[in-house]
Amino acid sequence: GSRIEVTKTVSPNMAVDYGENVTYTIKIKNNGAVNDYIYIEDYYIDGQITDVKNITYTGPGPSEQKVESRYDEETDQWKIYHCWYGIDIAPGEVITITFEAKLKGNIGDCIINNVKVYSDDLQQEEISSYIITYLYHNYNYQEIELWQVYAYE
């Protein structure tokens, strides 16, 4: 298994009224026996997740934090990235990030909020977790999926 464990949740995790705030929570834990050097990127399509506020961060701190727009040529979309760089996470340590946001879109849209954690260890692993919100009859139905990608096995 992976040394770095990433979980992402959303509250409420059931149907919410359109335009209602939701709270995303990201938890990152080092299950390994040695320190790991990581950075975190949380991103979403510009305009689908809006009014982001009350961002909290607890745990071993980043050396740099920034928010930026990046153009995705494959999907022809602008995406907003919240980035935390230069984190030294010791064995057993946990980082928790939360933020509130409003979800916008049209019926039938899928709003995806991704988080990726890049590890500096020998495996050069990238751990991803994402939440999909379906806009359906002006209600949002949320499903959680998780996948992991290893550059080297």
Side-chain angles (χ1 to χ4, degrees), residues 48-72:
Q48 284 194 341
I49 295 178
T50 64
D51 302 331
V52 173
K53 62 182 182 181
N54 297 336
I55 299 175
T56 67
Y57 181 109
T58 58
S63 61
E64 183 186 357
Q65 180 177 345
K66 67 180 178 183
V67 180
E68 63 184 18
S69 294
R70 297 183 199 166
Y71 179 67
D72 185 336

Side-chain angles (χ1 to χ4, degrees), residues 30-45:
N30 183 354
N31 289 322
V34 296
N35 282 38
D36 205 346
Y37 199 65
I38 62 171
Y39 68 91
I40 303 163
E41 292 185 341
D42 186 276
Y43 61 96
Y44 47 84
I45 296 169

Side-chain angles (χ1 to χ4, degrees), residues 3-151:
R3 287 205 328 222
I4 299 294
E5 177 187 353
V6 180
T7 56
K8 182 160 206 177
T9 55
V10 66
S11 177
N13 65 347
M14 53 194 157
V16 297
D17 287 331
Y18 187 75
E20 182 181 324
N21 279 347
V22 297
T23 299
Y24 288 105
T25 301
I26 304 160
K27 281 192 187 298
I28 297 154
K29 183 178 183 188
N30 183 354
N31 289 322
V34 296
N35 282 38
D36 205 346
Y37 199 65
I38 62 171
Y39 68 91
I40 303 163
E41 292 185 341
D42 186 276
Y43 61 96
Y44 47 84
I45 296 169
D46 191 12
Q48 284 194 341
I49 295 178
T50 64
D51 302 331
V52 173
K53 62 182 182 181
N54 297 336
I55 299 175
T56 67
Y57 181 109
T58 58
S63 61
E64 183 186 357
Q65 180 177 345
K66 67 180 178 183
V67 180
E68 63 184 18
S69 294
R70 297 183 199 166
Y71 179 67
D72 185 336
E73 290 185 0
E74 284 184 24
T75 61
D76 188 29
Q77 290 163 325
W78 284 93
K79 295 182 178 175
I80 305 295
Y81 281 75
H82 295 259
C83 309
W84 293 267
Y85 297 114
I87 303 162
D88 189 2
I89 184 168
E93 277 192 313
V94 176
I95 294 165
T96 304
I97 299 169
T98 66
F99 63 92
E100 290 178 42
K102 281 185 167 50
L103 306 180
K104 301 276 175 71
N106 301 306
I107 292 175
D109 285 355
C110 294
I111 297 175
I112 303 177
N113 183 232
N114 294 275
V115 63
K116 286 189 178 180
V117 176
Y118 299 87
S119 165
D120 223 17
D121 72 7
L122 294 175
Q123 291 184 54
Q124 288 294 313
E125 64 187 326
E126 164 196 308
I127 304 112
S128 300
S129 179
Y130 62 97
I131 289 176
I132 301 177
T133 302
Y134 296 101
L135 298 191
Y136 178 72
H137 293 317
N138 283 352
Y139 286 91
N140 304 334
Y141 288 91
Q142 275 132 355
E143 293 185 0
I144 299 170
E145 296 186 48
L146 178 72
W147 87 94
Q148 294 184 334
V149 178
Y150 294 91

